[in-house]
Amino acid sequence: MVAIATRASWGARYADGDKTLTGLAAEVFVHHTVSTQLPATATVDQERAQVRAVEQTGQNRFGTGISYNVLIFPSGRAYQGVSWNRRGTHTGGRNSTSRSICFVGNYETNQPTAAQLATAAAIYDEGRGKWWKITAPLRGHCDVSVTACPGKNVFSRLPEIRAGNPGGTPAPAPAPSGLKVDGFWGSATSTRLQQVLGTPADGVVSHQTAAWRSQNPGLTTGWDWTGKAGDGGSQMIAEHQRRLKARGRYAGAIDGKAGPQYFRGLQADLGTPVDGTISEQSRMVMALQRRLNAGTV
Ligand SMILES: [Zn+2]
């Protein structure tokens, strides 16, 4: 659980938003304050004073106290702004249906710190099913308004925050490949998927569930059907489930098992018919192979 300093700790003086919200938020928006840039070495007292300054700005502009739900400093410390169940004033037209994560400072001109990105990723992850729906996407303010917010240097890091590994070494972009687009998912397709996902590239999909074999004739070589419950499945499938979950396509367990729920998520992600099974010469597999040839997943 991320430690988030309470409103009382920094000395909130104004209203806690303007309304109580019920239910989980549908979206999460990332902002920046464009206020004074504190260094990562700032003291807690300096940060508290800055949160009060941000509160004063919100109060002056909207009369509802501090605008954002949580504020994150370069130190990586987080402070509660508007309570999670109260409405803030951060994203025009969506304040009732979203929550906000705010980077304190100006990220059009400054870079976010690794600690700040790690805190944001941890909060986004912790909030799933708690403050927002498990499928709630993380978006930049600029995705829905004409604004530079949250600044290009934070906006470009949103994929890492979504994926939960900010600052993690991204897998080097794989060289273009000549994977055959044939709609059969065998070891060549798995090897390529492993390269793109950054998992060990051996072309084997370990520990899969034998009961699913017969309904998926499009899965050919390299599929290991000796799986047992709780054996962790395939690292490749688990990483792919994480990516799909971060994009709101998959709500199941990260269990490494390529079952109907995973295939439905993948089909939805690829825009092919969603039936949860892989036929021979599968359209979904062809779309996946094309995407892999372009070096993405
Ligand atoms: Zn904003």
Side-chain angles (χ1 to χ4, degrees), residues 29-33 68 90-91 101-102 140-142 145 147-151:
F29 285 100
V30 178
H31 299 262
H32 67 162
T33 58
Y68 313 101
H90 42 85
T91 312
I101 295 175
C102 185
H141 190 185
C142 58
S145 287
T147 170
C149 182

Side-chain angles (χ1 to χ4, degrees), residues 22-27 97 99 127-134:
T22 53
L24 300 174
E27 297 175 291
T97 53
R99 302 292 185 273
R128 291 174 183 283
K130 184 175 177 186
W131 304 315
W132 36 83
K133 294 175 184 172
I134 201 157

Side-chain angles (χ1 to χ4, degrees), residues 119-246:
T119 299
I123 288 173
Y124 177 52
D125 187 53
E126 182 178 341
R128 291 174 183 283
K130 184 175 177 186
W131 304 315
W132 36 83
K133 294 175 184 172
I134 201 157
T135 55
L138 182 83
R139 310 177 73 185
H141 190 185
C142 58
D143 282 323
V144 295
S145 287
V146 181
T147 170
C149 182
K152 65 176 189 279
N153 298 324
V154 163
F155 187 73
S156 65
R157 309 301 289 275
L158 296 187
E160 295 165 59
I161 297 174
R162 283 183 202 114
N165 69 336
T169 318
S177 73
L179 183 64
K180 201 168 151 196
V181 179
D182 62 3
F184 289 94
W185 187 336
S187 52
T189 299
S190 293
T191 300
R192 180 67 183 164
L193 179 57
Q194 288 163 334
Q195 288 169 348
V196 174
L197 289 170
T199 58
D202 60 3
V204 175
V205 189
S206 310
H207 307 308
Q208 297 304 299
T209 306
W212 289 333
R213 182 176 192 170
S214 62
Q215 65 197 54
N216 294 302
L219 306 178
T220 59
T221 55
W223 286 80
D224 160 30
W225 300 106
T226 65
K228 295 184 180 62
D231 61 18
S234 151
Q235 272 188 71
M236 173 190 85
I237 300 295
E239 177 57 28
H240 205 181
Q241 288 170 330
R242 268 190 282 276
R243 304 271 187 114
L244 292 170
K245 182 167 254 185

